[in-house]
Amino acid sequence: MPMPEPINALVGENVVVDTDAHLVYIGRLLAIGPDYISLGDVDVHSQHDGHSSREIYIMDARKFGIRQNRLGATVLLSRIVSVSRLDEVT
């Protein structure tokens, strides 16, 4: 199934990927596959880690930069709730 045009336009951009689990991914969208996306220079954050909410954590990444803890990550499309440009998060 081809991806909708909007997500294709995000390739090369820093994005926030919300999942149906307790994880959020912040990184550069590198590629879109048939059932996954690939990210580079990624910060994988668990809501169970730390004391800040997901929203505050994302806003800090926008304000201070991505705190990379992975060179890359692959996320299954079936687990993704939303994908947004990091610089469009308010």
Side-chain angles (χ1 to χ4, degrees), residues 48-66:
H48 300 303
D49 297 340
H51 302 288
S52 64
S53 71
R54 179 183 285 214
E55 290 79 16
I56 291 172
Y57 193 83
I58 293 168
M59 288 305 298
D60 283 350
R62 179 177 180 200
K63 190 174 183 179
F64 302 115
I66 298 171

Side-chain angles (χ1 to χ4, degrees), residues 16-28:
V16 177
V17 180
D18 288 299
T19 66
D20 62 358
H22 61 278
L23 297 173
V24 63
Y25 298 81
I26 306 172
R28 183 165 307 279

Side-chain angles (χ1 to χ4, degrees), residues 4-23:
E5 188 59 38
I7 195 167
N8 289 332
L10 298 176
V11 172
E13 300 282 339
N14 286 329
V15 296
V16 177
V17 180
D18 288 299
T19 66
D20 62 358
H22 61 278
L23 297 173

